[in-house]
Amino acid sequence: MKKRILILTASFGEGHNSAARGVRDGLARVAPTAEVELRDLFGEAYGSLNEFVRKAYLALINRWPQSWGYVYRWLERKKDFDKSFRRFSRLKEHFATLLDRFRPDVIVSTFPPFPYLLHQISGPSPDCKNVVVITDSITVNSIWYRCAADYFLVPNEQSAAVLRAGGIAPEKIKIFGFPVSPKFADLMQDRLSPPSNHRRVLYVVNPPTIKASELVRRLVELDIHLTVTAGRADALRSAIKEAAGHRTIGKAGGATVQEAIAAGCPMIINHVVSGQEEGNARLIVETNSGVIAQSPKEVVTQVQRAFANGAKQWREWAANISRLSRPRASLEIAEFLLSI
């Protein structure tokens, strides 16, 4: 009998989608005959309204990143999330129809509301396993784990400690790493450390502000091989290209910190959204796998420091971040889902 696995995500921050795709792709490698569906039920149920709210959320965290911290802390203080989600009647009807049609053996949620909605639809004992994939580190909001779920999959020990402190039974917590694409496992398998004279820097433009082109201009003056990813920053694309001297411009992917960890690549973080991103930044700093540098001048200083003295600082960061790296996470998660 084929296993049926339903993966639920939402486009409020690309990390949720990235994790969902990683789980799906891991399952495709490990169990190609399994029936797998990946769905964004918020987008499907609310259409243009969901798109409006999504864009408003992205504008808030890009333009006023500190403001999201107030919302995040308000959510952390809430006790009855279940009550808050009772008003999503259209979403629950859409969800219930999907459950009746697909009849999943396992539901994997990479966005917090879905376990609460499942409980309201199916009661305390649904006919499937309920698995939550937590995409945040250290600053894990309680909305992730105050739900009824069979298992919580976390990216690292630091996040597991938060759940244990929040009263979650240790046997329900599984540490697999963030489910990045299985391609990371392929790339890391035979990877050799580059020589110290290969000073390669990837600048992921996020958020797309005028400071991006200023930072690119400063970076190209250094003795490094610079690659810039501009994502959807169409308004800044020509200015960035001019500043970069027409170096490579590509698309920026989501879950940047977790993908950098999987790749064993140290980070210089120059933008932190209050709330969940604070934990990601703390993970990098507290494990000495990189630094936070808020201004273009400070970023340049940290790049110079990283490659000084035969790249001593970079080598130290690289050794530390490699200890966090779990590029096989999506494959191990897939194997776990098939076992329950």
Short mmCIF file of all heavy atoms in Angstrom, two decimals, residues 63-113:
data_model
loop_
_atom_site.label_atom_id
_atom_site.label_comp_id
_atom_site.label_asym_id
_atom_site.label_seq_id
_atom_site.Cartn_x
_atom_site.Cartn_y
_atom_site.Cartn_z
N ARG A 63 10.58 46.77 5.10
CA ARG A 63 10.73 48.21 5.32
C ARG A 63 10.82 48.59 6.79
O ARG A 63 11.50 49.54 7.15
CB ARG A 63 9.54 48.95 4.67
CG ARG A 63 9.50 48.77 3.16
CD ARG A 63 8.28 49.46 2.57
NE ARG A 63 8.14 49.19 1.15
CZ ARG A 63 7.13 49.61 0.40
NH1 ARG A 63 6.16 50.32 0.95
NH2 ARG A 63 7.07 49.31 -0.89
N TRP A 64 10.09 47.86 7.64
CA TRP A 64 10.09 48.16 9.07
C TRP A 64 10.31 46.86 9.85
O TRP A 64 9.41 46.38 10.55
CB TRP A 64 8.76 48.80 9.47
CG TRP A 64 8.47 50.05 8.69
CD1 TRP A 64 9.03 51.28 8.85
CD2 TRP A 64 7.54 50.17 7.60
NE1 TRP A 64 8.51 52.17 7.94
CE2 TRP A 64 7.59 51.52 7.17
CE3 TRP A 64 6.66 49.29 6.96
CZ2 TRP A 64 6.80 51.98 6.12
CZ3 TRP A 64 5.88 49.75 5.92
CH2 TRP A 64 5.95 51.08 5.52
N PRO A 65 11.50 46.27 9.72
CA PRO A 65 11.74 44.95 10.32
C PRO A 65 11.54 44.91 11.82
O PRO A 65 11.16 43.88 12.37
CB PRO A 65 13.20 44.65 9.95
CG PRO A 65 13.80 45.97 9.62
CD PRO A 65 12.70 46.78 9.03
N GLN A 66 11.78 46.04 12.51
CA GLN A 66 11.60 46.04 13.96
C GLN A 66 10.13 45.96 14.35
O GLN A 66 9.78 45.46 15.43
CB GLN A 66 12.23 47.30 14.57
CG GLN A 66 13.73 47.42 14.37
CD GLN A 66 14.50 46.24 14.91
OE1 GLN A 66 14.22 45.77 16.00
NE2 GLN A 66 15.47 45.74 14.15
N SER A 67 9.24 46.45 13.47
CA SER A 67 7.81 46.47 13.77
C SER A 67 7.25 45.07 13.91
O SER A 67 6.34 44.83 14.72
CB SER A 67 7.05 47.23 12.68
OG SER A 67 7.50 48.56 12.58
N TRP A 68 7.76 44.13 13.11
CA TRP A 68 7.25 42.77 13.19
C TRP A 68 7.51 42.17 14.56
O TRP A 68 6.78 41.29 15.02
CB TRP A 68 7.88 41.91 12.10
CG TRP A 68 7.46 40.47 12.19
CD1 TRP A 68 8.24 39.39 12.52
CD2 TRP A 68 6.15 39.94 12.00
NE1 TRP A 68 7.51 38.23 12.53
CE2 TRP A 68 6.21 38.54 12.21
CE3 TRP A 68 4.91 40.51 11.67
CZ2 TRP A 68 5.10 37.71 12.11
CZ3 TRP A 68 3.81 39.69 11.55
CH2 TRP A 68 3.91 38.31 11.78
N GLY A 69 8.52 42.67 15.26
CA GLY A 69 8.82 42.16 16.59
C GLY A 69 7.66 42.33 17.55
O GLY A 69 7.42 41.46 18.41
N TYR A 70 6.90 43.43 17.42
CA TYR A 70 5.74 43.64 18.30
C TYR A 70 4.67 42.56 18.05
O TYR A 70 4.07 42.03 18.99
CB TYR A 70 5.14 45.02 18.07
CG TYR A 70 6.08 46.15 18.43
CD1 TYR A 70 6.65 46.95 17.44
CD2 TYR A 70 6.39 46.43 19.76
CE1 TYR A 70 7.52 47.98 17.75
CE2 TYR A 70 7.26 47.47 20.09
CZ TYR A 70 7.82 48.24 19.08
OH TYR A 70 8.68 49.25 19.40
N VAL A 71 4.43 42.28 16.77
CA VAL A 71 3.45 41.24 16.43
C VAL A 71 3.94 39.88 16.93
O VAL A 71 3.16 39.09 17.48
CB VAL A 71 3.21 41.20 14.90
CG1 VAL A 71 2.22 40.10 14.54
CG2 VAL A 71 2.73 42.55 14.39
N TYR A 72 5.20 39.62 16.74
CA TYR A 72 5.78 38.34 17.13
C TYR A 72 5.66 38.12 18.64
O TYR A 72 5.28 37.03 19.09
CB TYR A 72 7.25 38.31 16.70
CG TYR A 72 7.89 36.96 16.75
CD1 TYR A 72 7.79 36.08 15.69
CD2 TYR A 72 8.63 36.55 17.86
CE1 TYR A 72 8.38 34.84 15.72
CE2 TYR A 72 9.23 35.31 17.90
CZ TYR A 72 9.11 34.46 16.83
OH TYR A 72 9.71 33.22 16.88
N ARG A 73 5.96 39.16 19.41
CA ARG A 73 5.87 39.03 20.86
C ARG A 73 4.43 38.94 21.34
O ARG A 73 4.13 38.27 22.34
CB ARG A 73 6.60 40.21 21.53
CG ARG A 73 8.12 40.10 21.41
CD ARG A 73 8.82 41.20 22.18
NE ARG A 73 8.73 42.47 21.49
CZ ARG A 73 9.58 42.87 20.55
NH1 ARG A 73 10.57 42.09 20.16
NH2 ARG A 73 9.45 44.06 19.98
N TRP A 74 3.50 39.58 20.62
CA TRP A 74 2.08 39.45 20.94
C TRP A 74 1.62 38.01 20.73
O TRP A 74 0.90 37.46 21.56
CB TRP A 74 1.27 40.41 20.08
CG TRP A 74 -0.22 40.22 20.18
CD1 TRP A 74 -1.03 40.58 21.21
CD2 TRP A 74 -1.05 39.61 19.19
NE1 TRP A 74 -2.33 40.24 20.94
CE2 TRP A 74 -2.38 39.63 19.71
CE3 TRP A 74 -0.82 39.05 17.93
CZ2 TRP A 74 -3.46 39.10 19.00
CZ3 TRP A 74 -1.90 38.53 17.22
CH2 TRP A 74 -3.20 38.56 17.76
N LEU A 75 2.05 37.41 19.64
CA LEU A 75 1.72 36.01 19.39
C LEU A 75 2.30 35.10 20.47
O LEU A 75 1.65 34.14 20.90
CB LEU A 75 2.25 35.57 18.01
CG LEU A 75 1.50 36.06 16.79
CD1 LEU A 75 2.27 35.70 15.52
CD2 LEU A 75 0.10 35.46 16.73
N GLU A 76 3.51 35.42 20.90
CA GLU A 76 4.16 34.60 21.93
C GLU A 76 3.37 34.61 23.24
O GLU A 76 3.33 33.60 23.97
CB GLU A 76 5.58 35.13 22.17
CG GLU A 76 6.38 34.39 23.23
CD GLU A 76 6.68 32.96 22.86
OE1 GLU A 76 6.77 32.66 21.65
OE2 GLU A 76 6.82 32.15 23.78
N ARG A 77 2.70 35.73 23.53
CA ARG A 77 1.95 35.84 24.79
C ARG A 77 0.57 35.19 24.73
O ARG A 77 -0.05 34.94 25.76
CB ARG A 77 1.80 37.31 25.18
CG ARG A 77 3.11 37.98 25.59
CD ARG A 77 2.85 39.33 26.23
NE ARG A 77 2.21 40.25 25.30
CZ ARG A 77 2.85 41.09 24.51
NH1 ARG A 77 4.18 41.13 24.53
NH2 ARG A 77 2.20 41.90 23.70
N LYS A 78 0.06 34.94 23.53
CA LYS A 78 -1.28 34.36 23.39
C LYS A 78 -1.31 32.94 23.95
O LYS A 78 -0.35 32.19 23.83
CB LYS A 78 -1.71 34.34 21.92
CG LYS A 78 -2.20 35.68 21.40
CD LYS A 78 -2.66 35.58 19.95
CE LYS A 78 -3.91 34.74 19.81
NZ LYS A 78 -5.09 35.35 20.47
N LYS A 79 -2.44 32.60 24.55
CA LYS A 79 -2.60 31.28 25.14
C LYS A 79 -3.52 30.38 24.33
O LYS A 79 -3.34 29.16 24.29
CB LYS A 79 -3.14 31.41 26.58
CG LYS A 79 -2.26 32.24 27.51
CD LYS A 79 -0.90 31.61 27.71
CE LYS A 79 -0.05 32.43 28.69
NZ LYS A 79 1.30 31.86 28.85
N ASP A 80 -4.55 30.97 23.70
CA ASP A 80 -5.56 30.17 23.02
C ASP A 80 -5.51 30.42 21.52
O ASP A 80 -6.33 31.15 20.96
CB ASP A 80 -6.95 30.50 23.57
CG ASP A 80 -8.01 29.53 23.08
OD1 ASP A 80 -7.65 28.59 22.34
OD2 ASP A 80 -9.19 29.72 23.42
N PHE A 81 -4.53 29.83 20.86
CA PHE A 81 -4.44 29.96 19.41
C PHE A 81 -5.61 29.28 18.72
O PHE A 81 -6.08 29.72 17.68
CB PHE A 81 -3.13 29.36 18.90
CG PHE A 81 -1.90 30.10 19.34
CD1 PHE A 81 -1.02 29.55 20.26
CD2 PHE A 81 -1.62 31.35 18.84
CE1 PHE A 81 0.10 30.23 20.67
CE2 PHE A 81 -0.49 32.04 19.23
CZ PHE A 81 0.38 31.48 20.15
N ASP A 82 -6.08 28.19 19.31
CA ASP A 82 -7.18 27.44 18.71
C ASP A 82 -8.39 28.33 18.50
O ASP A 82 -9.06 28.26 17.47
CB ASP A 82 -7.53 26.25 19.61
CG ASP A 82 -8.44 25.26 18.92
OD1 ASP A 82 -7.97 24.62 17.95
OD2 ASP A 82 -9.60 25.12 19.32
N LYS A 83 -8.69 29.18 19.47
CA LYS A 83 -9.83 30.09 19.36
C LYS A 83 -9.64 31.07 18.21
O LYS A 83 -10.59 31.39 17.48
CB LYS A 83 -10.00 30.84 20.68
CG LYS A 83 -11.18 31.81 20.71
CD LYS A 83 -11.28 32.48 22.06
CE LYS A 83 -12.44 33.47 22.09
NZ LYS A 83 -12.54 34.14 23.42
N SER A 84 -8.42 31.55 18.02
CA SER A 84 -8.14 32.52 16.96
C SER A 84 -8.39 31.94 15.57
O SER A 84 -8.80 32.66 14.65
CB SER A 84 -6.69 33.00 17.06
OG SER A 84 -6.44 33.60 18.30
N PHE A 85 -8.15 30.63 15.40
CA PHE A 85 -8.28 30.02 14.08
C PHE A 85 -9.70 29.52 13.78
O PHE A 85 -9.96 29.04 12.68
CB PHE A 85 -7.28 28.87 13.93
CG PHE A 85 -5.85 29.33 13.91
CD1 PHE A 85 -4.93 28.82 14.82
CD2 PHE A 85 -5.43 30.29 13.01
CE1 PHE A 85 -3.62 29.25 14.82
CE2 PHE A 85 -4.11 30.74 13.00
CZ PHE A 85 -3.20 30.22 13.91
N ARG A 86 -10.61 29.69 14.72
CA ARG A 86 -11.99 29.23 14.48
C ARG A 86 -12.70 30.06 13.43
O ARG A 86 -13.67 29.61 12.82
CB ARG A 86 -12.78 29.23 15.79
CG ARG A 86 -12.33 28.17 16.77
CD ARG A 86 -13.25 28.05 17.95
NE ARG A 86 -12.73 27.08 18.92
CZ ARG A 86 -12.85 25.77 18.80
NH1 ARG A 86 -13.50 25.28 17.75
NH2 ARG A 86 -12.33 24.96 19.70
N ARG A 87 -12.25 31.27 13.19
CA ARG A 87 -12.92 32.16 12.24
C ARG A 87 -12.59 31.83 10.78
O ARG A 87 -13.20 32.38 9.88
CB ARG A 87 -12.55 33.61 12.55
CG ARG A 87 -11.09 33.94 12.30
CD ARG A 87 -10.70 35.28 12.89
NE ARG A 87 -10.73 35.24 14.34
CZ ARG A 87 -10.35 36.26 15.11
NH1 ARG A 87 -9.95 37.40 14.58
NH2 ARG A 87 -10.39 36.13 16.43
N PHE A 88 -11.61 30.96 10.54
CA PHE A 88 -11.20 30.65 9.16
C PHE A 88 -12.11 29.56 8.56
O PHE A 88 -11.65 28.48 8.19
CB PHE A 88 -9.73 30.20 9.13
CG PHE A 88 -8.75 31.28 9.44
CD1 PHE A 88 -8.33 31.51 10.75
CD2 PHE A 88 -8.24 32.09 8.44
CE1 PHE A 88 -7.43 32.51 11.05
CE2 PHE A 88 -7.33 33.10 8.72
CZ PHE A 88 -6.93 33.31 10.04
N SER A 89 -13.39 29.85 8.45
CA SER A 89 -14.36 28.84 8.01
C SER A 89 -14.12 28.39 6.57
O SER A 89 -14.19 27.20 6.26
CB SER A 89 -15.79 29.36 8.17
OG SER A 89 -15.97 30.60 7.49
N ARG A 90 -13.83 29.34 5.68
CA ARG A 90 -13.59 28.96 4.28
C ARG A 90 -12.37 28.08 4.15
O ARG A 90 -12.37 27.09 3.40
CB ARG A 90 -13.42 30.22 3.41
CG ARG A 90 -13.36 29.90 1.91
CD ARG A 90 -12.86 31.08 1.08
NE ARG A 90 -13.63 32.30 1.35
CZ ARG A 90 -13.38 33.46 0.75
NH1 ARG A 90 -12.35 33.57 -0.10
NH2 ARG A 90 -14.11 34.53 1.03
N LEU A 91 -11.32 28.41 4.89
CA LEU A 91 -10.10 27.61 4.86
C LEU A 91 -10.35 26.20 5.39
O LEU A 91 -9.89 25.22 4.81
CB LEU A 91 -9.02 28.30 5.70
CG LEU A 91 -7.67 27.59 5.84
CD1 LEU A 91 -7.03 27.38 4.48
CD2 LEU A 91 -6.75 28.38 6.74
N LYS A 92 -11.13 26.10 6.48
CA LYS A 92 -11.42 24.78 7.05
C LYS A 92 -12.27 23.93 6.11
O LYS A 92 -12.07 22.72 6.01
CB LYS A 92 -12.09 24.94 8.41
CG LYS A 92 -11.11 25.37 9.52
CD LYS A 92 -11.74 25.31 10.88
CE LYS A 92 -12.70 26.46 11.09
NZ LYS A 92 -13.20 26.50 12.48
N GLU A 93 -13.21 24.56 5.43
CA GLU A 93 -14.02 23.81 4.45
C GLU A 93 -13.14 23.28 3.32
O GLU A 93 -13.28 22.13 2.89
CB GLU A 93 -15.12 24.71 3.87
CG GLU A 93 -16.22 25.05 4.85
CD GLU A 93 -17.20 26.06 4.29
OE1 GLU A 93 -17.08 26.38 3.09
OE2 GLU A 93 -18.07 26.54 5.06
N HIS A 94 -12.22 24.11 2.87
CA HIS A 94 -11.30 23.69 1.80
C HIS A 94 -10.39 22.57 2.28
O HIS A 94 -10.16 21.58 1.56
CB HIS A 94 -10.47 24.91 1.37
CG HIS A 94 -9.62 24.69 0.17
ND1 HIS A 94 -10.13 24.54 -1.11
CD2 HIS A 94 -8.27 24.57 0.05
CE1 HIS A 94 -9.14 24.36 -1.96
NE2 HIS A 94 -8.00 24.36 -1.29
N PHE A 95 -9.90 22.70 3.50
CA PHE A 95 -9.03 21.70 4.11
C PHE A 95 -9.79 20.38 4.28
O PHE A 95 -9.27 19.30 3.95
CB PHE A 95 -8.54 22.23 5.46
CG PHE A 95 -7.41 21.47 6.08
CD1 PHE A 95 -6.88 21.89 7.31
CD2 PHE A 95 -6.84 20.34 5.49
CE1 PHE A 95 -5.83 21.22 7.91
CE2 PHE A 95 -5.77 19.66 6.08
CZ PHE A 95 -5.29 20.09 7.31
N ALA A 96 -11.02 20.45 4.77
CA ALA A 96 -11.81 19.24 5.00
C ALA A 96 -12.09 18.49 3.70
O ALA A 96 -12.03 17.25 3.65
CB ALA A 96 -13.13 19.60 5.69
N THR A 97 -12.35 19.24 2.64
CA THR A 97 -12.59 18.61 1.33
C THR A 97 -11.35 17.87 0.85
O THR A 97 -11.43 16.76 0.32
CB THR A 97 -13.00 19.68 0.30
OG1 THR A 97 -14.19 20.33 0.74
CG2 THR A 97 -13.23 19.06 -1.07
N LEU A 98 -10.19 18.49 1.06
CA LEU A 98 -8.92 17.86 0.67
C LEU A 98 -8.69 16.58 1.48
O LEU A 98 -8.27 15.56 0.94
CB LEU A 98 -7.78 18.85 0.88
CG LEU A 98 -6.36 18.32 0.68
CD1 LEU A 98 -6.17 17.79 -0.75
CD2 LEU A 98 -5.32 19.41 0.98
N LEU A 99 -8.97 16.63 2.78
CA LEU A 99 -8.80 15.45 3.63
C LEU A 99 -9.70 14.30 3.18
O LEU A 99 -9.27 13.14 3.14
CB LEU A 99 -9.09 15.79 5.09
CG LEU A 99 -8.11 16.74 5.78
CD1 LEU A 99 -8.62 17.12 7.17
CD2 LEU A 99 -6.73 16.12 5.88
N ASP A 100 -10.94 14.62 2.83
CA ASP A 100 -11.88 13.59 2.38
C ASP A 100 -11.42 12.96 1.06
O ASP A 100 -11.58 11.74 0.85
CB ASP A 100 -13.27 14.18 2.20
CG ASP A 100 -13.95 14.50 3.52
OD1 ASP A 100 -13.54 13.91 4.54
OD2 ASP A 100 -14.88 15.33 3.53
N ARG A 101 -10.84 13.76 0.19
CA ARG A 101 -10.40 13.24 -1.11
C ARG A 101 -9.10 12.48 -1.02
O ARG A 101 -8.98 11.36 -1.51
CB ARG A 101 -10.25 14.38 -2.12
CG ARG A 101 -9.72 13.92 -3.48
CD ARG A 101 -9.39 15.07 -4.39
NE ARG A 101 -8.33 15.92 -3.90
CZ ARG A 101 -7.03 15.62 -3.96
NH1 ARG A 101 -6.64 14.45 -4.47
NH2 ARG A 101 -6.13 16.46 -3.50
N PHE A 102 -8.10 13.08 -0.37
CA PHE A 102 -6.74 12.51 -0.39
C PHE A 102 -6.53 11.45 0.69
O PHE A 102 -5.76 10.51 0.50
CB PHE A 102 -5.72 13.64 -0.23
CG PHE A 102 -4.30 13.22 -0.45
CD1 PHE A 102 -3.88 12.63 -1.64
CD2 PHE A 102 -3.34 13.42 0.55
CE1 PHE A 102 -2.56 12.24 -1.83
CE2 PHE A 102 -2.02 13.05 0.36
CZ PHE A 102 -1.64 12.46 -0.84
N ARG A 103 -7.21 11.59 1.82
CA ARG A 103 -7.08 10.66 2.96
C ARG A 103 -5.60 10.36 3.29
O ARG A 103 -5.13 9.23 3.16
CB ARG A 103 -7.83 9.36 2.68
CG ARG A 103 -9.33 9.58 2.50
CD ARG A 103 -10.11 8.29 2.47
NE ARG A 103 -11.53 8.56 2.34
CZ ARG A 103 -12.36 8.90 3.34
NH1 ARG A 103 -11.87 9.03 4.55
NH2 ARG A 103 -13.63 9.13 3.13
N PRO A 104 -4.88 11.38 3.75
CA PRO A 104 -3.44 11.20 4.00
C PRO A 104 -3.16 10.29 5.20
O PRO A 104 -3.93 10.21 6.15
CB PRO A 104 -2.96 12.62 4.28
CG PRO A 104 -4.17 13.32 4.82
CD PRO A 104 -5.33 12.74 4.07
N ASP A 105 -2.03 9.60 5.12
CA ASP A 105 -1.53 8.84 6.27
C ASP A 105 -0.74 9.75 7.22
O ASP A 105 -0.70 9.52 8.43
CB ASP A 105 -0.61 7.71 5.79
CG ASP A 105 -1.35 6.72 4.90
OD1 ASP A 105 -2.33 6.14 5.36
OD2 ASP A 105 -0.92 6.56 3.74
N VAL A 106 -0.11 10.77 6.62
CA VAL A 106 0.69 11.72 7.40
C VAL A 106 0.44 13.12 6.84
O VAL A 106 0.40 13.32 5.63
CB VAL A 106 2.20 11.40 7.30
CG1 VAL A 106 3.01 12.40 8.14
CG2 VAL A 106 2.50 9.98 7.74
N ILE A 107 0.27 14.08 7.75
CA ILE A 107 0.21 15.49 7.36
C ILE A 107 1.45 16.18 7.93
O ILE A 107 1.74 16.09 9.13
CB ILE A 107 -1.06 16.18 7.89
CG1 ILE A 107 -2.30 15.59 7.22
CG2 ILE A 107 -1.00 17.69 7.63
CD1 ILE A 107 -3.61 16.20 7.70
N VAL A 108 2.17 16.86 7.05
CA VAL A 108 3.38 17.59 7.44
C VAL A 108 3.10 19.08 7.28
O VAL A 108 2.78 19.54 6.19
CB VAL A 108 4.58 17.19 6.56
CG1 VAL A 108 5.83 17.96 6.99
CG2 VAL A 108 4.82 15.69 6.62
N SER A 109 3.21 19.84 8.37
CA SER A 109 2.92 21.27 8.34
C SER A 109 4.20 22.07 8.52
O SER A 109 4.92 21.89 9.50
CB SER A 109 1.94 21.65 9.45
OG SER A 109 0.74 20.92 9.33
N THR A 110 4.49 22.96 7.58
CA THR A 110 5.64 23.85 7.70
C THR A 110 5.20 25.28 8.01
O THR A 110 6.01 26.21 7.96
CB THR A 110 6.49 23.85 6.42
OG1 THR A 110 5.74 24.44 5.35
CG2 THR A 110 6.91 22.45 6.05
N PHE A 111 3.91 25.45 8.35
CA PHE A 111 3.34 26.74 8.72
C PHE A 111 2.43 26.50 9.92
O PHE A 111 1.62 25.57 9.90
CB PHE A 111 2.56 27.34 7.54
CG PHE A 111 2.16 28.78 7.72
CD1 PHE A 111 3.11 29.77 7.91
CD2 PHE A 111 0.82 29.14 7.70
CE1 PHE A 111 2.74 31.10 8.07
CE2 PHE A 111 0.43 30.46 7.86
CZ PHE A 111 1.40 31.45 8.05
N PRO A 112 2.54 27.30 11.00
CA PRO A 112 1.93 26.94 12.29
C PRO A 112 0.43 26.71 12.35
O PRO A 112 -0.01 25.86 13.13
CB PRO A 112 2.33 28.13 13.19
CG PRO A 112 3.56 28.68 12.58
CD PRO A 112 3.40 28.50 11.11
N PRO A 113 -0.43 27.42 11.60
CA PRO A 113 -1.88 27.26 11.84
C PRO A 113 -2.45 25.88 11.52
O PRO A 113 -3.48 25.50 12.08
CB PRO A 113 -2.50 28.32 10.91
CG PRO A 113 -1.44 29.34 10.72
CD PRO A 113 -0.16 28.56 10.69
#
